[in-house]
Amino acid sequence: MSLVAEAFVSQIAAAEPWPENATLYQQLKGEQILLSDNAASLAVQAFLQMCNLPIKVVCRANAEYMSPSGKVPFIHVGNQVVSELGPIVQFVKAKGHSLSDGLDEVQKAEMKAYMELVNNMLLTAELYLQWCDEATVGEITHARYGSPYPWPLNHILAYQKQWEIKRKMKAIGWGKKTLDQVLEDVDQCCQALSQRLGTQPYFFNKQPTELDALVFGHLYTILTTQLTNDELSEKVKNYSNLLAFCRRIEQHYFEDRGKDRLS
Amino acid sequence: MLLGGPPRRSPRSGTSPKGPQSSTGHVHFGKSPQTWPRRTRPRSPGLAAPSGVRGSTQPKRRDFPRRAWLTALSRYGARLWMGRRPSLPEARGPAPRSAAASRASRSLASPETSPSPLPATTRGAVAGGGSVQGRAGAQKEVFPGQGAGKMAAPMELFCWSGGWGLPSVDLDSLAVLTYARFTGAPLKVHKISNPWRSPSGTLPALRTSHGEVISVPHKIITHLRKEKYNADYDLSARQGADTLAFMSLLEEKLLPVLVHTFWIDTKNYVEVTRKWYAEAMPFPLNFFLPGRMQRQYMERLQLLSGEHRPEDEEELEKELYREARECLTLLSQRLGTQKFFFGDAPASLDAFVFSYLALLLQAKLPNGKLQAHLRGLHNLCAYCTHILSLYFPWDGAEVPPPRHTPAGPETEEEPYGRRNQILSVLAGLAAMVGYALLSGIVSIQRATPARAPSTRALGMAEEDEEE
């Protein structure tokens, strides 16, 4: 958004309190949504839970096209639509709720850096696995991605998306990577996260921040999604403190609220 | 390269025997990096005067005061190191041993061996010791007599040549070069401006001692690490995790903007980037290669930032620059008042951050919005100049002369150019006139007997033709 529009939007956003009927849109949970989108959606849900803001999850087959930036999930609050975790965090901050206010400058820098690490490595690895690994593509991704559409649209859309993702992978230098190298990168990323987390309950000690939400979203999805092989989740399972972290957030923010959003 | 050899030998006599023993893992002892001699030569005369320590012409670059080893030494050494050339031959003796030990144990404090040489050689060995830190690079310089032929072949690095006050104008090349300097890896650096000359077709490229060619910068650094030139040896696990995180931050937030500033922004591209590349590359590459590189970068940027419609481009640009400014501010906050990101010794993260920042700071860009923001972050500017002066001192000095010399040939060419122009015009005229005369288009009716027969003959030839 341009600076003027942004200032305008944040002013409007700040004016209204968080409504009760805020909704989060994602793709169909059972048949359509993919690993990476599920992770992103879960991260946003976790973040909003941590901020104590009520949100209703609505599944639509065309969520990707409804979204203003083309990425899911997006939230519809009042008369605004905001997509992706970064802008949502800023939007929520404009409304006066923030998880990272208590951090000092250095910690904020670290938080942003670690969020970028997750986006750079974990998310890209998930995309690679979904779209560039032939076994997964054939068995899971194509079928799921095209499920709401009739033939031949399902094939066409799936191939189009795959081609686009492959181009992006090549642009960032992941095109030549093998699956093993990608899993190595995931391992490195998990190791970095595990070391940063250490024995603390959350990344910045007592209070969860958006980084915790993001990491939870990705790790939980990796751990609970059935893929053709379990190598990805095995890599995450190697780090017990990450497992404990996921369980802690799940128990505290999702099950305690009474509604099991993670079905 | 053994300039510093002889003077060093004397002080070292006591410690040299230690060297080979400690070099269990360090086979780089005898290797003398080709790049060093250049720098050390002018310095050695001045240095030889003080103690034997100064006699060592090892450029300070080689030493990276890693706190690990000799805690006390390193502190002292760091100070010494900052100021001058640490002479490390003595220190090298114990250092490699401790290096091997600490490498095995991965513990940060292993000063047990280091203090020992101190009493023996009261030199700035301290500096040497401090700098040794787990880096095999330390060994390389000091013991010229040993195993000069141990390594199969030195590693060769091909990278873009320098410009704008920097040792290299390309981001990746600069990062790899800086890392190599930090760790003192004995690389033979070929600074070329023709990417087709490199073994892999792209720059930077590293040809390892086994003949293998690596061209992805991260892989080059991983290879150097494997060869025991590890700048991250002393980092704690958490700092290693921070390194990964900040490198991701750089790649996601700062890289697109850097690419945009240098290659996509029209004014910058035409006046600075393309000009440099076109001047540096040999004929006929300079005609099409810069344009091709620009197209590649543009495509990469478009893919990275996702699909966007043309009218959103300006907004996308603003968004990119805003994120980049935020990223720079974050880096500044993280650096704080420290010398390097992880204390007193440079790590691989410093190499990458330095390469991004140095390019932004040094190149004289007409459209420098990000540059202006960066200049406002004083600790980052100081950080850049510090590294530049410490590790690339002569590179900064090298640049002005090349700038003058191109002017020289140009002015020299000028008179030749003019002369050639005049000569060519005269030659053309002479040819035309001669042809005209010889073929009878123009006949000179003069009363000179010499001329007459030819014209008559010509005239007769014409008559014959007409008939």
Side-chain angles (χ1 to χ4, degrees), chain A residues 1-3 6 105-106 109-110 112-114 116-117 120-121 164 167-168 171-172 188 192 195-196, chain B residues 237-238 241-242 244-246 248-249 251-253 300 303-304 307 315 319 322 326 330 333-334:
Chain A
M1 284 202 269
S2 72
L3 284 175
E6 218 179 274
E105 301 293 340
V106 173
E110 283 184 9
K112 291 249 158 67
Y114 276 93
E116 286 307 323
L117 175 69
N120 199 6
M121 286 200 148
E164 190 189 308
R167 265 177 77 205
K168 185 167 169 207
I172 56 178
Q188 253 188 1
Q195 276 157 3
R196 182 65 175 81
Chain B
R238 172 126 162 206
D242 279 349
L244 265 184
F246 277 97
S248 302
L249 184 72
E251 271 181 35
E252 292 265 336
K253 297 272 167 94
R300 196 164 133 191
L303 284 173
L304 281 179
E307 329 76 54
E315 294 190 355
E319 178 81 24
R322 193 171 53 88
E326 199 188 313
L330 287 176
Q333 282 161 359
R334 179 67 176 79

Side-chain angles (χ1 to χ4, degrees), chain B residues 408-465:
Chain B
E410 267 166 19
T411 46
E412 280 167 28
E413 272 167 19
E414 269 290 326
Y416 284 129
R418 181 67 60 187
R419 187 194 70 177
N420 288 344
Q421 277 176 346
I422 295 176
L423 279 180
S424 57
V425 167
L426 284 178
L429 273 178
M432 284 193 329
V433 167
Y435 176 73
L437 284 175
L438 286 175
S439 62
I441 299 170
V442 172
S443 56
I444 300 182
Q445 313 280 341
R446 253 188 252 160
T448 51
R451 262 283 187 235
S454 55
T455 46
R456 235 180 284 131
L458 282 174
M460 281 170 41
E462 278 179 43
E463 286 166 22
D464 288 343
E465 284 173 298

Side-chain angles (χ1 to χ4, degrees), chain B residues 29-272:
Chain B
F29 262 87
K31 252 192 321 196
S32 28
Q34 328 279 8
T35 53
W36 302 120
R38 266 187 282 143
R39 275 182 261 141
T40 57
R41 219 166 279 135
R43 305 226 179 112
S44 40
L47 292 182
S51 52
V53 164
R54 291 320 169 81
S56 75
T57 50
Q58 288 316 359
K60 48 190 171 209
R61 273 163 233 101
R62 227 71 76 110
D63 307 300
F64 319 104
R66 289 291 171 118
R67 342 166 224 184
W69 302 59
L70 322 164
T71 37
L73 281 182
S74 61
R75 241 167 259 131
Y76 177 26
R79 251 153 236 115
L80 213 61
W81 169 66
M82 286 314 165
R84 351 268 147 100
R85 245 135 296 124
S87 51
L88 347 152
E90 293 75 20
R92 297 295 160 81
R97 200 181 302 137
S98 36
S102 76
R103 196 158 297 145
S105 62
R106 271 235 141 205
S107 62
L108 286 191
S110 51
E112 66 274 10
T113 51
S114 38
S116 48
L118 257 191
T121 57
T122 49
R123 326 244 180 164
V126 165
S131 56
V132 174
Q133 294 4 76
R135 229 296 25 300
Q139 293 92 13
K140 58 178 142 140
E141 51 160 9
V142 176
F143 303 94
Q146 323 227 327
K150 271 193 196 160
M151 281 308 280
M155 294 188 277
E156 300 178 42
L157 178 71
F158 295 84
C159 60
W160 284 102
S161 48
W164 308 326
L166 293 171
S168 177
V169 297
D170 176 50
L171 190 65
D172 296 329
S173 313
L174 191 57
V176 174
L177 208 55
T178 316
Y179 183 85
R181 285 289 162 77
F182 281 167
T183 58
L187 290 178
K188 203 161 130 187
V189 179
H190 298 273
K191 289 206 180 153
I192 56 184
S193 43
N194 182 356
W196 290 6
R197 285 248 155 168
S198 93
S200 71
T202 57
L203 295 170
L206 178 78
R207 184 186 281 138
T208 65
S209 37
H210 311 291
E212 196 192 324
V213 175
I214 311 178
S215 51
V216 178
H218 282 277
K219 289 212 182 112
I220 294 181
I221 291 192
T222 313
H223 180 81
L224 286 176
R225 275 208 197 116
K226 275 201 283 209
E227 296 283 328
K228 308 214 179 56
Y229 295 108
N230 191 354
D232 293 335
Y233 191 67
D234 297 331
L235 296 184
S236 67
R238 172 126 162 206
Q239 286 171 329
D242 279 349
T243 304
L244 265 184
F246 277 97
M247 292 229 269
S248 302
L249 184 72
L250 283 179
E251 271 181 35
E252 292 265 336
K253 297 272 167 94
L254 212 46
L255 179 61
V257 170
L258 212 69
V259 165
H260 186 277
T261 306
F262 277 92
W263 291 93
I264 317 285
D265 185 83
T266 337
K267 205 151 177 232
N268 286 347
Y269 172 63
V270 167
E271 288 180 28
V272 178

